[in-house]
Amino acid sequence: MNNERFLVIGGVAAGMSAASRFRRNKPEAEVTVIQNGEYVSYGSCGLPYFISGLVKDVHGLVVYDAEFFKKKRNINILSWHEATKIDPAAKVVLARDLKEGREIKLSYDKLAICTGASPFKPAIPGNELKNIFVIRTAEDGVILRNFIEKEAPQKAAIIGAGPIGMEMTEALSVRGIEVTVIKRPGSILRMFDDDMVAKVEEELKGKNVNLIKNAIIQGFEGDKEGKVRTVVLADTRYDVDFILLATGSKPNSRLAREAGLKVNADETIAVDERMQTSNPDIFAAGDCVGQKDLLTGKEVYFPRGTTANKQGRIAGENASGGNEAFEGITGTLVSKIFDLTVARTGLSSQEAAAAGYDFVTSTISHPDHAFTYPDPAPENITTKLIMDRKTGRLLGAQMIGKHKNMGVAKRIDVFATALQNKMTVDEINRLDLAYSPPYSPFYDNILIAAEVGLRKLSRGT
Amino acid sequence: MNNERFLVIGGVAAGMSAASRFRRNKPEAEVTVIQNGEYVSYGSCGLPYFISGLVKDVHGLVVYDAEFFKKKRNINILSWHEATKIDPAAKVVLARDLKEGREIKLSYDKLAICTGASPFKPAIPGNELKNIFVIRTAEDGVILRNFIEKEAPQKAAIIGAGPIGMEMTEALSVRGIEVTVIKRPGSILRMFDDDMVAKVEEELKGKNVNLIKNAIIQGFEGDKEGKVRTVVLADTRYDVDFILLATGSKPNSRLAREAGLKVNADETIAVDERMQTSNPDIFAAGDCVGQKDLLTGKEVYFPRGTTANKQGRIAGENASGGNEAFEGITGTLVSKIFDLTVARTGLSSQEAAAAGYDFVTSTISHPDHAFTYPDPAPENITTKLIMDRKTGRLLGAQMIGKHKNMGVAKRIDVFATALQNKMTVDEINRLDLAYSPPYSPFYDNILIAAEVGLRKLSRGT
C-alpha cells in the first residue's frame, strides 16, 4: 500500500501550517504543496517595509524557504505551479507548471485548499492601464519596488484607506513619493470608530498626505504608452505617476466552486469548525474561508495572517485524523501608521450598533507610562471601550498612541484576552497587571479605561 | 448632626485611594488623612529613578500633592503627623505632630488603616552604624540622594537581591558607584525560576556588578566617626562607603494590634474581602494587609502599589456604605534591571511545587517582533510557562527580554489576564492577538509558548 498523500494548494500562512502539522502527525505520509509563485511561507504583512526599503531584499520577507521545507520537514514544494482543477471524485488535482506550460496530475488522499485571497479591483474605467499596482503577494511587492527603483516616480495615488492602504501610504512617503489617498464615501479605517479615525487623519495631515474622502472616481486616464497619468474625480483631476489599488480582497474560491464544493454568499469556501469543506476529504483554511466572530456568533470575513495560520494548523490536524476546532476570532488588529500605533479588538461602535447591542462607550487619554521614568517621556494613549449597557460586558476596545512607545499593541492583546473570556469591565478593572514606572502608569491605561467605563455604565449614559 | 468623619492613617497608595473614593461617594463628609512625612501620594516605585538622577527632583515622584487633595478633592491632609494610638471604643485616634511635638485627638466615624510596611532590618551586628540606608519612603530617597551627592561615595554594598535590590543596583551603578550585592543563602529574585534568574546574573556580570551569593554576614564594622566601612563575611571583607538594606519589608500593624484588632501570624492586619478589620468601623488596605493568591486560594504577603491602590479604593467604597470585594492577586510583577525587563505572574516552579501541583514547564526563546520590521532589530524574549499537568491550566508565566524592546511587560499582562480567567494553555494558544511586523512575530511569543507548552503537556514530560 502506498503512503498517504496530503496535498495542499497554496504555500503561504495557512498552507504551510497545514502541511507542517500533517507532516508532524504522519511522518510517513507524502506531503506536497502547490504554490503559484516563487516564494512560500512569506510574511505579506511585511510588504510595506519591503516597499519602503527597510527590508532590503525580498528574501527578507521569507520565513522559511522551499529548501527548508524540503530538507527539514520533508515537504515537497511545487513552486510556480497553479492548480487549475480539483476532481473530488477521482481525488485528483490538475496543476499547470507556470514556467514550462505543461499540465500535471496530482492524486491525494486528503486535500487542503489554502488559496488565499486576491486584491479586489474596482470596476473603474481605465483600470487596465499600465502602472496600476496591487500589493498582496511577494511577487506583487517585487514588481512595485522594481518600478519605484527604476522609474523614480514622484506622485502616487492610493485608492482605498484600510490598514494596508495606510501602511503603504507611509511606505511610499518614506520613499519620498507624494501620496494622495483617494477614498470612496465612507470612513477610512472603517473598523475603527470615527473619533479614533480623526486622530489618524490628523497624523496624515502632519505628514503631508493628501487625503481625498467621499471621492467618486470617474476613471483613470493614460498617456500614449498606455501608462496611467490621471485619476479623474467628479470635480478634480489628480496627476499621478502610478496608482496602488488597496481596495480590499476577495476570497479565491473558484477552484472549490468548480469542484462542486459549497461556497458561501460572500464567496468564502464553506467550512465547519474543523475546517472541513462539504467534501469530507477536503479541508480549507486561511483567506479563502470566513471566520466566526466570537462576539456576535456571526460569520465574518476578516482575513488575517495569524488567523490563517491557526486555521491551517487545524486543517492539517484534522486532515491527519485529529479533531480540533477553530472557534473564531475577536477581530484583533494593529497597524503602524507613520508615528502612530492604532489597534482594535472586538466590535467597533458601528459594528455593535449593527449587531443590535445597547452599548455605552467611554474614552480616556492617559500617559503610556509613569512620569517617574522620564526616558523616553510618557506620551498619551487614547483608549476607547465599547461596553454592553445591561451586562457591563466588554464588547470592543480601540487604542491609539505613539509608535515609539510601543504599549498599544500589547495592551490591545489584554483586551482581546478579556473578550475571549467574556469579561465585564468590572472584572477588567480588577486585573492584576504588571506595574513599574518604565512600563506603565501607576494605574495602567487598561485599568483607568475600565474604571472610567464603569462609572459611565453606572451613570447609564 | 455633624457630618460623617472618615479618617485615614497613611497617605500613599492605599490611603489616598480610600480617601478619594470615600469623598466621591460622600461629598458632605469630613475626610482627613494623617501622613507621617511631608509627601503624600508619591510613587515609591520611582525611587530608583530618583536615586539614579533620571528623576531630577523629589517632587517628580509625587502624583498629586497635599494642595491638590485639599483644593480639588476637599480632603484634609495632616502631613508630619504620626498616629500613636487607636481607641476603637471611643472612636478616636491620637496623633503626634512630628514638627511641633504636641499630641492631637481625632474622632472618626469610619477609619482606614493604611500604614504600609517598613523595611525589614536584619539583626546584623553593627546595623546601627551611620551610612546604612533603607529605601522605602520619599524621605528615605531624599536622605540617600543627598548623601550620594554630598559625599560622592565610591563603593556600596546592597544587602538583599529582590526587585528593589536589583533596581537600586542599577541606580547606583548609573551614578558610577561600584556595587557589591550581598545575598544570604537562597536565590536572588526568589519569585523567579532559577533558569530565569541565571539570565539576570549574567546581565549583572556584564554590568560589572559584584554578586556575592550564599553570604552569611558576620557584621558591619565602622570607623571612628561611627560610619560603616566594612561588611564582614565568614571568609571575606568588603570595604564600603555605604550600605543599602534591601532585605524586604514587614507590615506596619503595631497600631492595629495595640487597638485590639485581629492581626495574622505574618503580622498583616486581618481583613475580609471587603477590607474590613475585626472592628466593623475600621478598614485596612495596602502593604499592612495580605492578599489572597487567586491560584492557590491561600493568603500571601506580596505588597505592590497597584494592589494597595485597588484595596484602598475598596476600603473607601465599603467605609462609605458600599459593598465591594477584593478577590485577590495573581502575583504579577515587572522590573527593569539594567538592559533587561523581567516579569512574572502566577506561580513560579518553586511556588507550584510548594502548593502541591503536579506541573510541567516549557521555555522558548523567540524574537520580540518580526524580522520583516528590522528597526530596531528583533531581540529574543525568553518565555517560560508553568502548567498543571492534569488540566493543562496555566499556573504561571515568566518572561525576560531586552528593556528597549518593551514587549515583555505587556505580554505578561496577557498571561495575568489568562490566569484571572483560569485559562488552559490550549485556550491561550487560540487567542486572537494583534499582529503586525513592528510589534510581534508572526506567531506571537505568547502563542508559541502555548503551542510548545501544549506539545510538552501531550508528551507528559
Side-chain angles (χ1 to χ4, degrees):
Chain A
M1 187 190 137
N2 285 330
N3 287 327
E4 190 174 357
R5 289 158 304 184
F6 182 49
L7 183 62
V8 180
I9 305 174
V12 194
M16 295 319 301
S17 295
S20 298
R21 176 60 71 94
F22 196 100
R23 159 60 64 228
R24 182 147 66 79
N25 287 354
K26 300 220 165 176
E28 303 301 317
E30 277 179 30
V31 180
T32 303
V33 177
I34 305 172
Q35 169 65 351
N36 61 5
E38 168 90 17
Y39 307 104
V40 294
S41 183
Y42 58 84
S44 55
C45 302
L47 282 167
Y49 314 112
F50 171 65
I51 296 301
S52 74
L54 196 60
V55 174
K56 302 294 172 208
D57 186 87
V58 69
H59 296 101
L61 296 180
V62 175
V63 184
Y64 297 119
D65 60 12
E67 201 62 15
F68 169 88
F69 284 104
K70 277 177 196 162
K71 286 200 172 155
K72 297 281 179 182
R73 296 198 180 161
N74 188 24
I75 292 170
N76 190 32
I77 310 270
L78 292 175
S79 298
W80 293 111
H81 277 73
E82 186 176 33
T84 52
K85 192 183 173 191
I86 301 167
D87 182 343
K91 297 183 93 168
V92 155
V93 169
L94 299 185
R96 192 169 52 238
D97 180 330
L98 294 173
K99 286 187 165 167
E100 313 270 324
R102 59 180 177 187
E103 193 151 82
I104 59 169
K105 195 189 259 191
L106 296 154
S107 296
Y108 66 81
D109 295 299
K110 302 286 177 190
L111 174 69
I113 304 175
C114 304
T115 41
S118 294
F120 174 77
K121 289 191 194 178
I124 295 171
N127 71 7
E128 77 295 345
L129 287 164
K130 288 180 198 160
N131 300 345
I132 298 180
F133 300 93
V134 294
I135 187 99
R136 171 117 201 133
T137 65
E139 288 78 7
D140 293 337
V142 171
I143 291 168
L144 177 56
R145 182 154 147 180
N146 282 345
F147 169 80
I148 291 171
E149 292 184 348
K150 280 182 190 149
E151 308 287 332
Q154 303 295 305
K155 288 182 174 189
I158 295 183
I159 315 297
I164 293 168
M166 292 289 102
E167 290 171 9
M168 287 301 300
T169 299
E170 181 190 344
L172 297 181
S173 295
V174 167
R175 285 269 178 190
I177 296 167
E178 192 186 318
V179 183
T180 298
V181 177
I182 299 176
K183 175 73 188 86
R184 63 179 176 180
S187 171
I188 74 165
L189 291 171
R190 64 183 165 73
M191 63 285 282
F192 285 86
D193 277 24
D194 290 345
D195 46 349
M196 305 301 269
V197 167
K199 290 176 191 294
V200 176
E201 291 190 12
E202 206 175 295
E203 176 76 3
L204 294 177
K205 193 179 272 182
K207 302 294 179 185
N208 298 315
V209 173
N210 189 18
L211 174 63
I212 312 298
K213 295 192 288 185
N214 303 313
I216 310 287
I217 300 174
Q218 314 275 326
F220 304 138
E221 291 178 2
D223 59 17
K224 275 180 274 176
E225 297 170 62
K227 295 176 180 171
V228 71
R229 285 294 167 201
T230 314
V231 180
V232 183
L233 304 190
D235 48 2
T236 344
R237 299 166 62 88
Y238 290 96
D239 289 346
V240 296
D241 297 320
F242 73 102
I243 288 173
L244 177 71
L245 296 177
T247 39
S249 56
K250 57 179 196 329
N252 291 329
S253 52
R254 187 185 53 79
L255 275 181
R257 194 189 315 105
E258 289 174 0
L261 301 181
K262 194 182 160 206
V263 171
N264 298 314
D266 66 355
E267 295 190 44
T268 55
I269 301 171
V271 289
D272 62 14
E273 279 200 334
R274 298 177 68 249
M275 310 313 299
Q276 202 167 32
T277 67
S278 54
N279 181 310
D281 293 321
I282 306 180
F283 296 77
D287 293 357
C288 57
V289 307
Q291 313 85 26
K292 189 161 88 180
D293 182 317
L294 289 173
L295 276 297
T296 63
K298 288 186 182 144
E299 288 295 315
V300 292
Y301 185 58
F302 194 78
R304 305 286 302 150
T306 48
T307 302
N309 245 322
K310 291 190 189 103
Q311 290 180 331
R313 230 147 57 166
I314 287 171
E317 178 70 24
N318 295 337
S320 59
N323 189 24
E324 281 191 14
F326 181 75
E327 283 93 358
I329 61 167
T330 56
T332 312
L333 181 150
V334 63
S335 178
K336 176 183 182 300
I337 302 176
F338 291 95
D339 297 338
L340 295 183
T341 304
V342 301
R344 57 93 78 194
T345 188
L347 304 178
S348 67
S349 289
Q350 299 92 305
E351 290 165 343
Y357 281 101
D358 180 13
F359 65 95
V360 178
T361 71
S362 85
T363 305
I364 63 155
S365 185
H366 197 81
D368 65 330
H369 70 276
F371 55 86
T372 54
Y373 192 83
D375 174 34
E379 297 212 51
N380 275 1
I381 293 175
T382 300
T383 305
K384 180 170 190 175
L385 302 187
I386 294 106
M387 305 163 285
D388 184 49
R389 190 190 302 273
K390 206 163 48 192
T391 63
R393 191 181 143 191
L394 184 72
L395 298 176
Q398 301 185 16
M399 300 184 88
I400 293 191
K402 289 284 180 195
H403 164 63
K404 282 284 174 208
N405 291 34
M406 293 290 265
V408 169
K410 301 302 156 214
R411 282 188 175 101
I412 210 73
D413 283 348
V414 173
F415 285 121
T417 308
L419 286 175
Q420 198 112 342
N421 288 285
K422 306 188 192 311
M423 289 178 87
T424 64
V425 179
D426 184 42
E427 287 165 342
I428 293 168
N429 195 27
R430 291 157 188 274
L431 284 171
D432 185 8
L433 303 181
Y435 166 65
S436 181
Y439 307 107
S440 168
F442 192 49
Y443 275 98
D444 191 85
N445 309 61
I446 291 168
L447 303 177
I448 297 173
E451 171 78 6
V452 172
L454 263 182
R455 284 188 217 161
K456 220 167 164 197
L457 278 168
S458 75
R459 284 202 307 272
T461 55
Chain B
M1 188 189 135
N2 285 331
N3 286 329
E4 189 174 358
R5 288 157 305 183
F6 182 49
L7 184 62
V8 180
I9 306 174
V12 195
M16 295 319 301
S17 294
S20 297
R21 177 60 72 96
F22 196 101
R23 159 61 63 230
R24 182 147 65 81
N25 289 352
K26 299 220 163 175
E28 302 301 318
E30 278 179 28
V31 180
T32 304
V33 177
I34 305 172
Q35 170 65 352
N36 61 5
E38 169 89 16
Y39 307 103
V40 294
S41 181
Y42 58 85
S44 55
C45 301
L47 282 168
Y49 315 111
F50 172 64
I51 297 300
S52 74
L54 196 60
V55 174
K56 301 296 172 209
D57 185 86
V58 69
H59 296 102
L61 296 179
V62 175
V63 184
Y64 297 119
D65 61 12
E67 201 62 14
F68 169 88
F69 285 104
K70 277 177 195 162
K71 285 200 174 155
K72 297 281 177 180
R73 295 199 182 161
N74 188 23
I75 292 170
N76 191 30
I77 311 268
L78 293 173
S79 297
W80 293 112
H81 277 72
E82 185 177 33
T84 53
K85 193 184 172 189
I86 302 166
D87 182 345
K91 299 184 90 168
V92 155
V93 169
L94 300 183
R96 193 169 52 238
D97 181 330
L98 293 172
K99 286 189 165 165
E100 314 269 325
R102 58 177 179 190
E103 194 152 79
I104 59 168
K105 198 190 257 191
L106 298 153
S107 295
Y108 66 81
D109 295 298
K110 301 286 178 191
L111 175 68
I113 305 176
C114 303
T115 41
S118 295
F120 174 75
K121 289 189 193 179
I124 294 171
N127 71 6
E128 77 294 344
L129 287 164
K130 288 179 197 162
N131 300 346
I132 299 180
F133 299 93
V134 293
I135 187 97
R136 173 118 202 132
T137 64
E139 288 79 7
D140 293 339
V142 170
I143 290 168
L144 176 56
R145 180 153 148 180
N146 282 345
F147 168 80
I148 291 171
E149 291 184 347
K150 280 182 189 149
E151 308 286 331
Q154 302 295 305
K155 288 181 176 190
I158 295 183
I159 315 298
I164 293 167
M166 293 289 99
E167 290 170 10
M168 286 301 298
T169 298
E170 182 191 342
L172 297 181
S173 295
V174 167
R175 284 269 179 191
I177 297 168
E178 191 187 316
V179 182
T180 299
V181 176
I182 299 175
K183 174 73 187 85
R184 63 178 177 180
S187 169
I188 74 165
L189 292 171
R190 64 184 166 71
M191 62 284 283
F192 285 86
D193 278 23
D194 291 345
D195 47 348
M196 305 300 270
V197 167
K199 291 176 190 295
V200 176
E201 291 190 12
E202 207 175 293
E203 175 76 4
L204 293 177
K205 193 180 271 182
K207 301 294 179 185
N208 298 315
V209 173
N210 189 18
L211 173 63
I212 311 298
K213 295 192 288 185
N214 303 312
I216 310 287
I217 300 173
Q218 312 276 324
F220 302 139
E221 291 178 2
D223 60 16
K224 275 179 275 177
E225 296 170 62
K227 294 176 180 170
V228 71
R229 284 295 167 199
T230 314
V231 179
V232 184
L233 303 190
D235 48 2
T236 345
R237 300 166 62 85
Y238 290 95
D239 289 346
V240 296
D241 295 322
F242 72 101
I243 289 173
L244 176 70
L245 297 176
T247 40
S249 56
K250 57 180 196 332
N252 290 329
S253 53
R254 187 184 54 77
L255 276 181
R257 194 189 316 104
E258 288 175 0
L261 301 181
K262 195 181 158 205
V263 171
N264 298 314
D266 66 354
E267 295 191 42
T268 54
I269 301 170
V271 288
D272 62 14
E273 280 199 335
R274 298 179 67 249
M275 309 313 297
Q276 201 167 31
T277 68
S278 54
N279 181 310
D281 292 321
I282 306 181
F283 296 78
D287 294 356
C288 57
V289 308
Q291 314 85 24
K292 189 160 89 179
D293 182 319
L294 289 173
L295 275 298
T296 63
K298 289 187 182 143
E299 289 293 316
V300 292
Y301 185 58
F302 194 79
R304 305 287 302 150
T306 46
T307 302
N309 245 324
K310 292 189 189 104
Q311 291 181 329
R313 231 149 55 167
I314 288 171
E317 178 70 25
N318 295 337
S320 58
N323 189 25
E324 282 192 14
F326 181 75
E327 284 93 359
I329 61 168
T330 56
T332 312
L333 181 149
V334 63
S335 177
K336 175 183 182 298
I337 303 177
F338 291 95
D339 296 339
L340 295 182
T341 304
V342 302
R344 57 93 80 194
T345 187
L347 303 178
S348 66
S349 289
Q350 299 92 304
E351 289 165 343
Y357 281 101
D358 180 15
F359 65 95
V360 178
T361 71
S362 85
T363 305
I364 62 155
S365 187
H366 197 81
D368 65 330
H369 69 277
F371 54 87
T372 53
Y373 193 83
D375 175 32
E379 296 214 49
N380 275 1
I381 293 175
T382 301
T383 306
K384 182 170 190 175
L385 302 187
I386 294 106
M387 305 163 284
D388 185 48
R389 189 190 302 273
K390 209 163 46 194
T391 61
R393 190 181 144 190
L394 183 72
L395 298 176
Q398 302 184 17
M399 300 185 90
I400 293 190
K402 291 284 180 194
H403 164 61
K404 281 284 173 207
N405 290 35
M406 294 290 266
V408 169
K410 300 302 156 216
R411 283 187 174 101
I412 210 73
D413 283 348
V414 173
F415 286 120
T417 307
L419 286 175
Q420 198 112 342
N421 289 286
K422 304 189 194 311
M423 289 179 89
T424 65
V425 179
D426 184 42
E427 287 166 342
I428 293 168
N429 195 27
R430 293 157 188 274
L431 284 171
D432 185 9
L433 303 182
Y435 166 65
S436 181
Y439 307 107
S440 170
F442 191 49
Y443 274 98
D444 192 85
N445 309 61
I446 290 168
L447 302 177
I448 297 172
E451 172 77 6
V452 172
L454 263 182
R455 284 189 217 161
K456 223 170 161 194
L457 278 168
S458 75
R459 284 202 307 272
T461 57

